[in-house]
Amino acid sequence: MARITYLIVALVATRPASAAAARRDTTCDAAPATYTSISDPGLPDPWKFASGKSVASADDFACRQAEMSRIMQQFELGDLPPAPDLVTATMSGTSMSLSIKVGSNTKTVSVSITKPSTAGASGGPAIIAVGGASIPIPSGMGRIAFGNDACAAQQNPSSHGTGWFFDLHGKTHSAGATLAWAWCVGRIIDGLEQLGPAKTGIDTKKLGVTGCSRNGKGAFMVGAFEKRIALTIPQESGSGGAASWRISDSEFAKGKSIQTAHQIVRENAWFSPRFTEFVNKTNTLPEDHHFLPALVAPRGLFVIENDIDWLGPVSTTVAMKAGRMIYDALGVKGNMGFSLVGGHSHCSFPSATSADLTSFINRFLVGTGQTNDVEVSKANITMDDWIKGWSAAPKISLA
Ligand code: MCU
């Protein structure tokens, strides 16, 4: 055990972004086969395991992260499959071709890549755009176009089962589209790693992900479930992304025109068919969307929202403030920013947010400077209504 601890300390000291992954090798209590639902009107306590045990150390937090991931998969996202049996990548001009094999199924997928102009021998940073980017990406930065609809379609609830994710894993696979996208992005990163910076120009330690609206929900899931992402920038993801299911229900009950769980499963295939059972009783979920920043932590996270009622400005502000509290307890508060500047149309980037976004891109993708301390929102919230059941936060240092 002493040796394992020593190894963990050494990894934390040298590679902060992958520290949580390294810790995952330590022993966690055996996971139950399934988690039970609960009854809690507030946001579930991130500092308590389902067993009731408290999170008291960095190792505990890594185990709780693994548990939060399993719980989200069980209740709303569906199962994240393991890595495929084989990925073979080739690069031709600006196009990367991937051949992906799962069991007896093989798919060939092509991905358009704009190489970073600033690449040294180890390559340069790149941002993966889920269905397109609506943030200003600095010139010279690499871009990877992820065609998420082809991976898992998002037309309506019947889209479930359509796309290359399902061609590989079977039409009836439990994954909702947003989690399927996380798996598909993982294959793009497999390809980039395999080809290396000499062919792609990209340093896979400097990858960001972004997307807006429905694709912002996707960008958040990609960051939460694909640990090789250094900076996650979900924009105006609203319900199913930065918003909390419980708080959106509470706002709906107050008469707001806000997207809720019971609406979302009737609109699209973003979530697992498993979620339908819970959409009229979100207080029974042993999770909520403050678990998404908890899964991204301690990596970089810059959440952009808007004051459009449908997105749930109160809901996103509370859930993401809860997320920043989690980052704070981990000693890395500056690694997460939340910016809700309203008064502009959906997915148009407000110039008032530019300097804050740039500080995150510089810190996590370029490797320069410090992040601005960003918690911007005019939403009127009562935090205690939602987190009064939480245990006192442990003081853990992941920095
Ligand atoms: C905010 O993202 C979605 C929203 O969840 C949907 O209800 C609405 O139909 O579309 C939004 C969107 O993706 O707009 C581009």
Side-chain angles (χ1 to χ4, degrees):
M1 184 61 196
R3 251 211 346 244
I4 294 174
T5 309
Y6 173 77
L7 179 72
I8 291 162
V9 170
L11 284 167
V12 170
T14 53
R15 296 177 59 197
S18 59
R23 283 198 200 91
R24 220 155 263 130
D25 292 338
T26 61
T27 324
C28 299
D29 293 342
T34 55
Y35 291 90
T36 48
S37 53
I38 60 170
S39 175
D40 185 350
L43 299 180
D45 186 352
W47 309 122
K48 272 239 150 78
F49 286 91
S51 66
K53 182 179 140 181
S54 296
V55 172
S57 65
D59 285 357
D60 283 349
F61 185 69
C63 293
R64 178 66 170 136
Q65 279 184 312
E67 181 175 87
M68 290 190 270
S69 166
R70 285 192 297 270
I71 291 175
M72 291 197 84
Q73 291 177 57
Q74 184 190 317
F75 284 85
E76 62 170 82
L77 301 174
D79 295 332
L80 182 68
D85 298 319
L86 188 68
V87 177
T88 313
T90 53
M91 189 81 193
S92 166
T94 57
S95 179
M96 176 170 74
S97 173
L98 299 171
S99 166
I100 305 163
K101 183 174 183 302
V102 174
S104 55
N105 298 327
T106 301
K107 285 300 284 186
T108 301
V109 177
S110 82
V111 182
S112 156
I113 293 179
T114 308
K115 292 183 181 179
S117 62
T118 48
S122 56
I127 292 186
I128 301 167
V130 179
S134 311
I135 56 164
I137 294 181
S139 70
M141 185 151 292
R143 290 166 192 239
I144 299 163
F146 170 49
N148 53 327
D149 292 21
C151 159
Q154 51 168 342
Q155 295 292 320
N156 54 51
S158 311
S159 301
H160 182 84
T162 303
W164 59 267
F165 174 92
F166 295 100
D167 294 340
L168 287 168
H169 296 287
K171 301 266 170 239
T172 58
H173 191 281
S174 60
T178 54
L179 191 76
W181 299 338
W183 189 89
C184 292
V185 167
R187 301 333 12 119
I188 294 176
I189 303 175
D190 291 346
L192 295 173
E193 284 182 343
Q194 194 179 104
L195 292 167
K199 290 194 176 120
T200 66
I202 291 169
D203 179 351
T204 51
K205 300 271 181 299
K206 292 181 176 163
L207 288 174
V209 66
T210 192
C212 191
S213 205
R214 57 194 62 203
N215 299 330
K217 306 182 206 309
F220 219 150
M221 294 303 168
V222 171
F225 289 88
E226 175 46 69
K227 305 295 178 190
R228 290 171 290 181
I229 298 288
L231 176 62
T232 303
I233 314 170
Q235 182 183 16
E236 301 192 33
S237 58
S239 198
S244 140
W245 299 124
R246 284 169 171 80
I247 304 168
S248 297
D249 277 348
S250 147
E251 293 288 291
F252 181 76
K254 290 177 188 160
K256 289 274 161 53
S257 170
I258 184 173
Q259 184 161 40
T260 58
H262 55 86
Q263 184 277 343
I264 213 166
V265 295
R266 291 199 303 266
E267 180 178 340
N268 220 308
W270 296 312
F271 294 89
S272 172
R274 289 176 184 166
F275 190 37
T276 309
E277 182 188 342
F278 299 97
V279 296
N280 291 311
K281 44 178 185 182
T282 57
N283 66 326
T284 66
L285 296 167
E287 49 104 333
D288 209 322
H289 276 222
H290 60 306
F291 276 20
L292 289 180
L295 289 176
V296 179
R299 293 168 294 132
L301 174 61
F302 190 76
V303 180
I304 303 165
E305 277 296 330
N306 200 342
D307 64 357
I308 297 168
D309 281 353
W310 188 246
L311 302 174
V314 166
S315 187
T316 57
T317 300
V318 173
M320 294 301 107
K321 193 175 181 64
R324 281 197 99 220
M325 292 170 71
I326 296 168
Y327 268 71
D328 192 20
L330 302 175
V332 289
K333 190 174 187 185
N335 289 5
M336 176 178 173
F338 176 69
S339 180
L340 191 164
V341 172
H344 57 86
S345 55
H346 187 41
C347 294
S348 78
F349 182 83
S351 55
T353 309
S354 281
D356 290 337
L357 171 65
T358 301
S359 77
F360 274 75
I361 289 179
N362 284 345
R363 163 79 174 79
F364 291 103
L365 300 184
V366 181
T368 56
Q370 293 301 316
T371 54
N372 294 353
D373 183 23
V374 191
E375 197 166 304
V376 178
S377 175
K378 291 200 170 85
N380 192 4
I381 61 164
T382 314
M383 208 57 201
D384 197 47
D385 287 353
W386 301 103
I387 62 160
K388 56 175 174 277
W390 285 19
S391 330
K395 277 281 165 223
I396 295 171
S397 183
L398 295 187

